[in-house]
Coordinates of all heavy atoms in Angstrom, one line a residue:
T303 N -161.9 134.1 144.2 CA -163.0 134.5 145.0 C -163.9 133.3 145.3 O -164.2 132.5 144.4 CB -163.9 135.5 144.2 OG1 -163.1 136.7 143.9 CG2 -165.1 136.0 145.1
L304 N -164.2 133.1 146.6 CA -165.0 132.0 147.0 C -166.5 132.2 146.6 O -167.1 133.3 146.9 CB -164.9 131.8 148.5 CG -165.6 130.7 149.2 CD1 -165.1 129.4 148.7 CD2 -165.5 130.8 150.7
K305 N -167.1 131.2 146.0 CA -168.5 131.3 145.6 C -169.4 130.8 146.8 O -169.0 129.8 147.4 CB -168.8 130.6 144.4 CG -168.1 131.3 143.2 CD -168.5 130.6 141.9 CE -167.8 131.3 140.8 NZ -168.3 130.9 139.5
P306 N -170.6 131.3 146.9 CA -171.4 130.9 148.1 C -171.7 129.4 148.0 O -171.9 128.6 149.0 CB -172.7 131.7 148.0 CG -172.6 132.3 146.6 CD -171.2 132.4 146.2
E307 N -172.0 128.9 146.7 CA -172.3 127.5 146.5 C -171.2 126.5 147.0 O -171.5 125.5 147.6 CB -172.7 127.2 145.1 CG -173.8 127.9 144.5 CD -173.5 129.3 144.0 OE1 -172.3 129.8 144.2 OE2 -174.4 130.0 143.5
I308 N -170.0 127.0 146.7 CA -168.8 126.1 147.1 C -168.6 126.2 148.7 O -168.4 125.1 149.3 CB -167.6 126.7 146.4 CG1 -167.7 126.7 144.9 CG2 -166.3 125.9 146.9 CD1 -167.9 125.3 144.3
A309 N -168.8 127.4 149.3 CA -168.6 127.5 150.7 C -169.7 126.7 151.4 O -169.5 126.0 152.4 CB -168.7 129.0 151.1
F310 N -170.9 126.8 150.9 CA -172.1 126.1 151.5 C -171.8 124.6 151.5 O -172.0 123.9 152.4 CB -173.4 126.5 150.8 CG -174.5 125.8 151.4 CD1 -175.1 126.3 152.6 CD2 -175.1 124.7 150.9 CE1 -176.2 125.7 153.2 CE2 -176.2 124.0 151.5 CZ -176.7 124.6 152.6
E311 N -171.5 124.1 150.3 CA -171.2 122.6 150.1 C -170.1 122.1 151.0 O -170.2 121.0 151.5 CB -171.0 122.2 148.7 CG -172.2 122.1 147.9 CD -173.2 121.1 148.5 OE1 -172.8 120.0 148.8 OE2 -174.4 121.4 148.5
S312 N -169.1 122.9 151.2 CA -168.0 122.4 152.0 C -168.4 122.4 153.5 O -167.7 121.7 154.3 CB -166.7 123.3 151.8 OG -167.0 124.6 152.3
H313 N -169.4 123.1 153.9 CA -169.8 123.1 155.3 C -171.2 122.5 155.5 O -171.8 122.5 156.6 CB -169.8 124.5 155.9 CG -168.5 125.2 155.8 ND1 -167.4 124.7 156.5 CD2 -168.0 126.2 155.0 CE1 -166.3 125.4 156.3 NE2 -166.7 126.4 155.3
R314 N -171.7 121.9 154.5 CA -173.1 121.4 154.5 C -173.4 120.4 155.6 O -174.4 120.5 156.3 CB -173.3 120.7 153.1 CG -174.7 120.1 153.0 CD -174.9 119.4 151.7 NE -176.3 119.1 151.3 CZ -177.0 118.2 152.0 NH1 -176.5 117.5 152.9 NH2 -178.3 118.0 151.6
E315 N -172.5 119.4 155.8 CA -172.7 118.4 156.9 C -172.7 119.0 158.3 O -173.5 118.6 159.1 CB -171.7 117.3 156.7 CG -171.8 116.4 155.5 CD -173.3 115.8 155.4 OE1 -173.8 115.3 156.4 OE2 -173.8 115.9 154.3
H316 N -171.8 119.9 158.5 CA -171.7 120.6 159.8 C -173.1 121.4 160.0 O -173.6 121.3 161.1 CB -170.6 121.5 159.9 CG -170.5 122.3 161.1 ND1 -170.2 121.8 162.3 CD2 -170.8 123.7 161.4 CE1 -170.2 122.7 163.3 NE2 -170.6 123.9 162.7
L317 N -173.5 122.1 159.0 CA -174.7 122.9 159.2 C -176.0 122.0 159.4 O -176.8 122.2 160.2 CB -175.0 123.8 157.9 CG -173.9 124.8 157.7 CD1 -174.1 125.5 156.3 CD2 -173.8 125.8 158.8
L318 N -176.0 120.9 158.6 CA -177.1 119.9 158.8 C -177.1 119.3 160.2 O -178.2 119.2 160.8 CB -177.1 118.9 157.7 CG -178.2 117.9 157.7 CD1 -179.6 118.6 157.5 CD2 -178.0 116.8 156.7
S319 N -176.0 119.0 160.8 CA -175.9 118.5 162.1 C -176.4 119.5 163.1 O -177.1 119.2 164.0 CB -174.4 118.1 162.4 OG -174.0 117.0 161.7
L320 N -176.0 120.7 162.9 CA -176.4 121.8 163.8 C -178.0 121.9 163.7 O -178.6 122.1 164.8 CB -175.7 123.1 163.3 CG -176.2 124.4 164.1 CD1 -175.7 124.3 165.5 CD2 -175.6 125.6 163.4
I321 N -178.5 122.0 162.6 CA -180.0 122.0 162.4 C -180.6 120.9 163.1 O -181.6 121.0 163.8 CB -180.3 122.1 160.9 CG1 -179.8 123.5 160.3 CG2 -181.9 122.0 160.7 CD1 -179.9 123.5 158.8
W322 N -180.2 119.7 162.8 CA -180.8 118.4 163.3 C -180.8 118.5 164.9 O -181.8 118.2 165.5 CB -180.0 117.3 162.8 CG -180.8 115.9 163.0 CD1 -181.7 115.4 162.2 CD2 -180.7 115.0 164.1 NE1 -182.1 114.2 162.7 CE2 -181.5 114.0 163.8 CE3 -179.9 115.1 165.3 CZ2 -181.6 112.9 164.7 CZ3 -180.0 114.0 166.1 CH2 -180.9 113.0 165.9
L323 N -179.7 118.9 165.5 CA -179.6 118.8 166.9 C -180.5 120.0 167.5 O -181.1 119.7 168.6 CB -178.2 119.1 167.4 CG -177.2 117.9 167.1 CD1 -175.8 118.3 167.4 CD2 -177.6 116.7 168.0
R324 N -180.5 121.1 167.0 CA -181.2 122.2 167.6 C -182.7 122.1 167.3 O -183.5 122.7 168.1 CB -180.7 123.6 167.1 CG -179.3 123.8 167.6 CD -178.9 125.3 167.5 NE -177.7 125.4 168.1 CZ -177.3 126.5 168.7 NH1 -178.1 127.6 168.7 NH2 -176.1 126.7 169.2
M325 N -183.2 121.4 166.3 CA -184.6 121.3 166.0 C -185.3 120.4 167.1 O -186.4 120.7 167.5 CB -184.8 120.7 164.7 CG -184.7 121.8 163.6 SD -185.0 121.1 162.0 CE -186.7 121.0 161.9
G326 N -184.6 119.4 167.6 CA -185.2 118.5 168.5 C -186.2 117.5 167.9 O -186.6 117.8 166.8
P327 N -186.6 116.5 168.5 CA -187.4 115.5 167.9 C -188.8 115.9 167.6 O -189.3 115.5 166.5 CB -187.4 114.3 168.9 CG -187.0 115.0 170.2 CD -186.1 116.1 169.9
D328 N -189.4 116.7 168.4 CA -190.8 117.2 168.1 C -190.8 118.0 166.9 O -191.8 117.8 166.0 CB -191.3 117.9 169.3 CG -191.6 117.1 170.5 OD1 -191.7 115.9 170.4 OD2 -191.6 117.6 171.6
L329 N -189.9 119.0 166.7 CA -190.0 119.8 165.6 C -189.5 119.0 164.3 O -190.1 119.2 163.2 CB -189.0 121.0 165.7 CG -189.1 122.1 164.7 CD1 -190.6 122.6 164.4 CD2 -188.2 123.3 165.1
R330 N -188.6 118.1 164.4 CA -188.3 117.2 163.3 C -189.4 116.4 162.8 O -189.4 116.0 161.6 CB -187.1 116.4 163.7 CG -185.8 117.1 163.7 CD -184.5 116.2 163.8 NE -184.6 115.2 164.8 CZ -184.0 115.3 166.0 NH1 -183.4 116.4 166.4 NH2 -184.1 114.3 166.9
K331 N -190.4 116.1 163.6 CA -191.6 115.4 163.1 C -192.4 116.2 162.2 O -193.1 115.7 161.3 CB -192.4 114.9 164.3 CG -191.8 113.8 165.1 CD -192.7 113.5 166.3 CE -192.0 112.5 167.2 NZ -192.8 112.3 168.5
R332 N -192.4 117.5 162.4 CA -193.2 118.4 161.6 C -192.4 119.1 160.5 O -193.1 119.6 159.5 CB -193.8 119.5 162.5 CG -194.8 119.0 163.5 CD -195.2 120.1 164.4 NE -194.1 120.5 165.2 CZ -194.2 121.4 166.2 NH1 -195.3 121.9 166.5 NH2 -193.1 121.7 166.9
M333 N -191.1 119.1 160.5 CA -190.3 119.8 159.6 C -189.0 119.1 159.3 O -188.4 118.6 160.3 CB -190.0 121.2 160.2 CG -189.3 122.2 159.2 SD -189.1 123.8 160.0 CE -190.8 124.3 160.0
D334 N -188.7 118.9 158.0 CA -187.5 118.2 157.6 C -186.3 119.1 157.8 O -186.3 120.1 157.2 CB -187.7 117.7 156.2 CG -186.5 116.8 155.8 OD1 -185.5 116.6 156.5 OD2 -186.7 116.2 154.7
P335 N -185.2 118.7 158.5 CA -184.0 119.4 158.6 C -183.4 119.8 157.3 O -182.8 120.8 157.1 CB -183.1 118.5 159.5 CG -184.0 117.8 160.3 CD -185.2 117.5 159.3
E336 N -183.6 118.9 156.3 CA -183.0 119.1 154.9 C -183.7 120.4 154.3 O -183.1 121.1 153.5 CB -183.2 117.9 154.0 CG -182.3 116.7 154.3 CD -180.9 116.9 153.7 OE1 -180.7 117.8 153.0 OE2 -180.1 116.1 154.1
D337 N -185.0 120.6 154.6 CA -185.7 121.7 154.1 C -185.2 123.0 154.7 O -185.1 124.0 154.0 CB -187.2 121.6 154.3 CG -187.9 120.5 153.5 OD1 -187.3 120.1 152.5 OD2 -189.0 120.0 153.9
V338 N -184.9 122.9 156.0 CA -184.3 124.1 156.6 C -182.9 124.4 156.0 O -182.6 125.5 155.7 CB -184.2 123.8 158.2 CG1 -183.5 125.0 158.9 CG2 -185.6 123.6 158.8
L339 N -182.2 123.4 155.8 CA -180.8 123.5 155.2 C -181.0 124.2 153.8 O -180.2 125.1 153.5 CB -180.2 122.2 155.1 CG -178.7 122.2 154.5 CD1 -177.8 122.9 155.6 CD2 -178.2 120.8 154.3
Q340 N -181.9 123.8 153.0 CA -182.2 124.4 151.8 C -182.5 125.9 151.8 O -182.0 126.7 151.1 CB -183.3 123.7 151.0 CG -183.5 124.1 149.6 CD -182.2 123.8 148.7 OE1 -181.6 122.8 148.9 NE2 -181.9 124.6 147.7
E341 N -183.3 126.2 152.8 CA -183.6 127.6 153.1 C -182.4 128.5 153.5 O -182.2 129.6 153.0 CB -184.7 127.8 154.1 CG -186.1 127.3 153.7 CD -187.1 127.4 154.8 OE1 -187.0 128.3 155.6 OE2 -188.0 126.5 154.8
V342 N -181.5 127.8 154.2 CA -180.2 128.5 154.6 C -179.4 128.7 153.4 O -178.8 129.7 153.2 CB -179.5 127.7 155.7 CG1 -178.1 128.2 155.9 CG2 -180.3 127.6 157.0
A343 N -179.4 127.7 152.5 CA -178.6 127.8 151.3 C -179.1 129.0 150.4 O -178.2 129.7 149.9 CB -178.7 126.5 150.4
I344 N -180.3 129.1 150.3 CA -180.9 130.2 149.5 C -180.5 131.6 150.2 O -180.1 132.5 149.5 CB -182.4 130.1 149.4 CG1 -182.8 128.9 148.6 CG2 -183.1 131.4 148.9 CD1 -184.2 128.4 148.6
E345 N -180.7 131.7 151.5 CA -180.3 132.9 152.2 C -178.7 133.2 152.0 O -178.4 134.3 151.8 CB -180.6 132.8 153.7 CG -182.1 133.0 154.0 CD -182.4 133.0 155.4 OE1 -181.6 133.4 156.2 OE2 -183.6 132.8 155.7
A346 N -178.0 132.1 152.1 CA -176.5 132.3 151.9 C -176.2 132.9 150.5 O -175.4 133.8 150.4 CB -175.8 131.0 152.1
I347 N -176.9 132.4 149.5 CA -176.6 132.9 148.1 C -177.2 134.4 148.0 O -176.4 135.2 147.5 CB -177.4 132.0 147.1 CG1 -176.6 130.7 147.0 CG2 -177.4 132.7 145.8 CD1 -177.4 129.6 146.3
N348 N -178.3 134.6 148.6 CA -178.9 136.0 148.5 C -178.1 137.0 149.3 O -178.1 138.2 148.9 CB -180.3 136.0 149.0 CG -181.2 135.3 148.0 OD1 -181.0 135.2 146.8 ND2 -182.4 134.8 148.5
Y349 N -177.5 136.6 150.4 CA -176.8 137.6 151.3 C -175.3 137.4 151.2 O -174.6 138.0 152.1 CB -177.3 137.5 152.7 CG -178.8 137.9 152.8 CD1 -179.8 137.0 152.8 CD2 -179.1 139.3 152.8 CE1 -181.1 137.3 152.9 CE2 -180.4 139.6 152.8 CZ -181.4 138.7 152.9 OH -182.7 139.1 152.9
W350 N -174.7 136.7 150.3 CA -173.3 136.4 150.3 C -172.5 137.7 150.2 O -171.4 137.8 150.7 CB -173.0 135.5 149.1 CG -171.5 135.1 149.0 CD1 -170.5 135.5 148.2 CD2 -170.9 134.1 149.9 NE1 -169.4 134.8 148.5 CE2 -169.6 134.0 149.5 CE3 -171.4 133.3 151.0 CZ2 -168.7 133.1 150.2 CZ3 -170.5 132.5 151.6 CH2 -169.2 132.4 151.2
H351 N -173.0 138.7 149.5 CA -172.4 140.0 149.4 C -172.1 140.7 150.7 O -171.3 141.6 150.8 CB -173.2 140.9 148.4 CG -174.5 141.4 149.0 ND1 -175.6 140.6 148.9 CD2 -174.8 142.5 149.6 CE1 -176.6 141.2 149.5 NE2 -176.2 142.3 150.0
T352 N -172.8 140.3 151.8 CA -172.6 140.9 153.1 C -171.4 140.3 153.8 O -171.0 140.9 154.9 CB -173.9 140.8 154.0 OG1 -174.1 139.5 154.3 CG2 -175.0 141.4 153.2
L353 N -170.9 139.2 153.3 CA -169.8 138.6 154.0 C -168.5 139.4 153.7 O -168.1 139.6 152.6 CB -169.6 137.2 153.5 CG -168.4 136.4 154.0 CD1 -168.5 136.1 155.5 CD2 -168.3 135.0 153.3
E354 N -167.9 139.9 154.8 CA -166.8 140.8 154.7 C -165.5 140.1 154.4 O -164.6 140.6 153.7 CB -166.7 141.7 155.9 CG -167.9 142.7 156.0 CD -167.8 143.5 157.3 OE1 -166.7 143.5 158.0 OE2 -168.8 144.1 157.6
D355 N -165.3 138.9 155.0 CA -164.0 138.2 154.9 C -164.3 136.7 154.6 O -164.9 136.0 155.4 CB -163.2 138.3 156.2 CG -161.9 137.7 156.0 OD1 -161.5 137.1 155.0 OD2 -161.1 137.8 157.0
E356 N -164.0 136.2 153.4 CA -164.2 134.8 153.0 C -163.6 133.8 154.0 O -164.1 132.7 154.0 CB -163.7 134.6 151.6 CG -164.5 135.3 150.6 CD -164.0 135.2 149.1 OE1 -163.0 134.5 149.0 OE2 -164.7 135.7 148.2
A357 N -162.6 134.2 154.7 CA -162.0 133.3 155.7 C -162.9 133.0 156.8 O -162.8 132.0 157.5 CB -160.7 133.9 156.3
N358 N -164.0 133.9 156.9 CA -165.0 133.7 158.0 C -166.3 133.0 157.5 O -167.3 133.1 158.1 CB -165.4 135.0 158.6 CG -164.2 135.6 159.4 OD1 -163.3 134.9 159.9 ND2 -164.1 137.0 159.3
A359 N -166.2 132.4 156.3 CA -167.4 131.8 155.7 C -168.1 130.8 156.6 O -169.3 130.9 156.7 CB -167.1 131.2 154.4
R360 N -167.4 129.9 157.2 CA -168.0 128.9 158.1 C -168.8 129.6 159.2 O -169.9 129.2 159.5 CB -167.0 127.9 158.6 CG -167.6 126.9 159.5 CD -166.6 125.9 160.1 NE -167.0 125.1 161.2 CZ -167.0 123.8 161.2 NH1 -166.5 123.1 160.2 NH2 -167.4 123.2 162.2
A361 N -168.1 130.5 159.9 CA -168.8 131.2 161.1 C -170.0 131.9 160.6 O -171.0 132.0 161.2 CB -167.8 132.1 161.8
W362 N -169.9 132.6 159.4 CA -171.0 133.3 158.8 C -172.2 132.4 158.5 O -173.3 132.7 158.8 CB -170.5 134.1 157.6 CG -171.5 135.0 157.0 CD1 -171.8 136.2 157.3 CD2 -172.3 134.6 155.8 NE1 -172.8 136.8 156.5 CE2 -173.1 135.8 155.6 CE3 -172.5 133.6 155.0 CZ2 -174.0 135.9 154.5 CZ3 -173.4 133.6 153.9 CH2 -174.1 134.8 153.7
L363 N -171.9 131.2 157.9 CA -173.0 130.3 157.6 C -173.6 129.7 158.9 O -174.8 129.5 158.9 CB -172.4 129.1 156.8 CG -172.0 129.5 155.3 CD1 -171.2 128.4 154.7 CD2 -173.3 129.8 154.5
V364 N -172.8 129.5 159.9 CA -173.3 129.0 161.2 C -174.2 130.1 161.8 O -175.3 129.7 162.3 CB -172.2 128.6 162.1 CG1 -172.7 128.4 163.6 CG2 -171.5 127.3 161.7
T365 N -173.9 131.3 161.7 CA -174.7 132.4 162.3 C -176.0 132.4 161.5 O -177.0 132.6 162.0 CB -173.9 133.7 162.2 OG1 -172.8 133.6 163.0 CG2 -174.8 134.9 162.7
L366 N -175.9 132.4 160.2 CA -177.1 132.4 159.3 C -178.0 131.2 159.7 O -179.2 131.4 159.8 CB -176.6 132.3 157.9 CG -177.6 132.8 156.8 CD1 -177.7 134.3 156.9 CD2 -177.0 132.4 155.4
T367 N -177.5 130.1 159.9 CA -178.2 128.9 160.3 C -178.9 129.1 161.7 O -180.1 128.8 161.8 CB -177.3 127.6 160.3 OG1 -176.7 127.5 159.0 CG2 -178.1 126.4 160.7
K368 N -178.2 129.6 162.6 CA -178.7 129.8 163.9 C -179.9 130.8 163.9 O -180.9 130.6 164.6 CB -177.6 130.2 164.9 CG -176.7 129.1 165.3 CD -175.6 129.7 166.3 CE -174.6 128.6 166.7 NZ -173.6 129.1 167.6
R369 N -179.7 131.9 163.2 CA -180.8 132.8 163.1 C -182.0 132.3 162.4 O -183.1 132.6 162.8 CB -180.2 134.1 162.3 CG -179.3 134.9 163.1 CD -178.8 136.1 162.3 NE -177.9 136.8 163.2 CZ -177.1 137.8 162.7 NH1 -177.1 138.1 161.4 NH2 -176.3 138.4 163.5
K370 N -181.8 131.4 161.4 CA -182.9 130.8 160.7 C -183.7 129.9 161.7 O -184.9 129.8 161.8 CB -182.4 130.0 159.5 CG -183.5 129.3 158.7 CD -184.4 130.3 158.0 CE -185.5 129.6 157.2 NZ -186.3 130.7 156.6
L371 N -182.9 129.1 162.4 CA -183.6 128.2 163.4 C -184.3 129.0 164.5 O -185.3 128.6 164.9 CB -182.5 127.4 164.1 CG -181.9 126.2 163.2 CD1 -180.7 125.6 163.8 CD2 -183.0 125.2 163.0
A372 N -183.7 130.2 164.9 CA -184.4 131.0 165.9 C -185.7 131.5 165.3 O -186.7 131.5 166.1 CB -183.5 132.1 166.3
R373 N -185.8 131.9 164.1 CA -187.0 132.3 163.5 C -188.1 131.2 163.4 O -189.2 131.3 163.7 CB -186.8 132.9 162.1 CG -186.1 134.2 162.1 CD -186.1 134.9 160.7 NE -185.5 134.1 159.7 CZ -184.2 134.1 159.4 NH1 -183.3 134.9 160.1 NH2 -183.7 133.4 158.4
I374 N -187.6 130.0 163.1 CA -188.5 128.8 162.9 C -189.0 128.5 164.3 O -190.2 128.3 164.5 CB -187.7 127.6 162.4 CG1 -187.5 127.9 160.9 CG2 -188.5 126.3 162.6 CD1 -186.5 126.9 160.2
L375 N -188.2 128.4 165.3 CA -188.6 128.1 166.7 C -189.6 129.1 167.2 O -190.6 128.8 167.8 CB -187.4 128.0 167.6 CG -186.5 126.8 167.3 CD1 -185.3 126.8 168.2 CD2 -187.3 125.4 167.6
R376 N -189.3 130.4 167.0 CA -190.2 131.5 167.4 C -191.6 131.3 166.7 O -192.6 131.4 167.3 CB -189.6 132.8 167.0 CG -190.5 134.0 167.4 CD -190.2 135.3 166.7 NE -190.4 135.1 165.3 CZ -189.6 135.6 164.3 NH1 -188.5 136.3 164.6 NH2 -189.9 135.4 163.0
D377 N -191.6 131.1 165.4 CA -192.8 130.9 164.7 C -193.6 129.6 165.1 O -194.8 129.6 165.2 CB -192.6 130.8 163.2 CG -192.0 132.1 162.6 OD1 -192.2 133.1 163.3 OD2 -191.5 132.1 161.5
Q378 N -192.9 128.5 165.5 CA -193.5 127.3 165.9 C -194.1 127.5 167.3 O -195.2 126.9 167.6 CB -192.5 126.1 165.9 CG -192.1 125.6 164.5 CD -193.3 125.2 163.7 OE1 -194.1 124.4 164.3 NE2 -193.4 125.6 162.5
V379 N -193.5 128.3 168.2 CA -194.1 128.6 169.5 C -195.4 129.3 169.3 O -196.4 129.0 170.0 CB -193.1 129.3 170.3 CG1 -193.8 129.9 171.6 CG2 -191.9 128.5 170.8
G380 N -195.4 130.2 168.4 CA -196.6 131.0 168.1 C -197.7 130.1 167.5 O -198.9 130.2 167.9
V381 N -197.4 129.1 166.7 CA -198.3 128.2 166.2 C -198.9 127.3 167.3 O -200.1 127.1 167.4 CB -197.7 127.3 165.1 CG1 -198.6 126.1 164.7 CG2 -197.4 128.1 163.8
Q382 N -198.0 126.8 168.2 CA -198.5 126.0 169.3 C -199.4 126.7 170.2 O -200.3 126.1 170.7 CB -197.2 125.4 170.0 CG -196.4 124.4 169.3 CD -195.2 123.9 170.0 OE1 -194.9 124.5 171.1 NE2 -194.5 123.0 169.5
L383 N -199.1 128.0 170.4 CA -199.9 128.8 171.3 C -201.1 129.4 170.7 O -202.0 130.0 171.3 CB -199.1 129.9 171.9 CG -197.9 129.5 172.8 CD1 -197.1 130.7 173.3 CD2 -198.4 128.7 174.0
G384 N -201.2 129.2 169.3 CA -202.3 129.9 168.6 C -202.1 131.4 168.5 O -203.1 132.1 168.3
I385 N -200.9 131.8 168.6 CA -200.6 133.2 168.5 C -199.9 133.5 167.2 O -198.9 132.9 166.9 CB -199.7 133.7 169.7 CG1 -200.5 133.4 171.0 CG2 -199.4 135.2 169.6 CD1 -199.6 133.6 172.2
R386 N -200.3 134.5 166.5 CA -199.6 134.8 165.3 C -198.6 135.8 165.6 O -198.8 136.8 166.3 CB -200.7 135.4 164.3 CG -200.1 135.5 162.9 CD -201.2 135.8 162.0 NE -200.6 135.9 160.7 CZ -201.3 135.8 159.5 NH1 -202.6 135.6 159.6 NH2 -200.7 135.8 158.4
G387 N -197.4 135.6 165.0 CA -196.3 136.5 165.2 C -195.7 136.5 166.6 O -195.3 137.6 167.1
A388 N -195.7 135.4 167.3 CA -195.3 135.3 168.7 C -193.7 135.7 168.7 O -193.0 135.4 167.9 CB -195.5 133.9 169.3
R389 N -193.4 136.2 169.9 CA -192.0 136.6 170.1 C -191.4 135.9 171.3 O -192.1 135.8 172.3 CB -191.8 138.0 170.2 CG -192.0 138.8 169.0 CD -191.7 140.2 169.1 NE -191.6 140.9 167.8 CZ -191.2 142.0 167.6 NH1 -190.8 142.8 168.6 NH2 -191.1 142.5 166.4
I390 N -190.2 135.5 171.2 CA -189.5 134.9 172.4 C -188.5 136.0 172.8 O -187.7 136.3 172.0 CB -188.8 133.6 172.1 CG1 -189.9 132.5 171.7 CG2 -188.1 133.1 173.3 CD1 -189.3 131.2 171.2
V391 N -188.6 136.4 174.0 CA -187.6 137.5 174.5 C -186.6 136.8 175.3 O -186.7 135.9 175.9 CB -188.4 138.5 175.3 CG1 -187.4 139.6 175.8 CG2 -189.5 139.1 174.5

C-alpha cells in the first residue's frame, strides 16, 4: 500500500514547479511557494483515504495542488479588493 508521504515526496518537485509557475511573481513576493507545498502535503495526508486508485496518485496530487492554488488566488483577489470572501466565477 502506497503511503501519502511516499507519494508526495516522489512528486514533490513537480508539484513545487506547478505552484511556482501558477503563483506568478507578485504572489510569490507575498507568499512562499514552499509554504503552499507544505499545505498541500498536509491536505494529501488528511484526505489520502479519498484516493480510489493509487496508480492515480500523481494526478490526484496535482488536482489537490490546483484546488489549493485556486483558493489562494481567490482569497488574494479578495484581499486586494478589500472584499472578504471574494469569489471568482
Side-chain angles (χ1 to χ4, degrees):
T303 304
L304 184 63
K305 295 187 178 191
E307 298 87 352
I308 302 297
F310 182 81
E311 276 305 312
S312 66
H313 301 295
R314 183 183 192 287
E315 291 304 316
H316 175 73
L317 298 174
L318 185 58
S319 295
L320 176 66
I321 292 167
W322 195 87
L323 288 170
R324 291 200 175 206
M325 284 180 74
D328 292 337
L329 188 53
R330 285 194 306 264
K331 289 178 188 174
R332 293 178 292 190
M333 185 177 290
D334 186 351
E336 288 280 351
D337 292 340
V338 176
L339 184 67
Q340 187 64 33
E341 291 179 31
V342 171
I344 292 167
E345 287 187 20
I347 291 168
N348 289 337
Y349 294 102
W350 188 252
H351 66 279
T352 67
L353 177 62
E354 294 178 10
D355 184 356
E356 292 177 358
N358 297 328
R360 179 181 166 126
W362 185 81
L363 288 166
V364 167
T365 299
L366 203 66
T367 302
K368 288 179 180 179
R369 288 180 179 167
K370 181 66 176 177
L371 286 167
R373 287 190 303 272
I374 289 169
L375 292 171
R376 180 197 65 219
D377 293 346
Q378 288 299 313
V379 167
V381 168
Q382 288 175 356
L383 297 176
I385 302 169
R386 195 171 178 159
R389 289 186 167 187
I390 299 174
V391 180

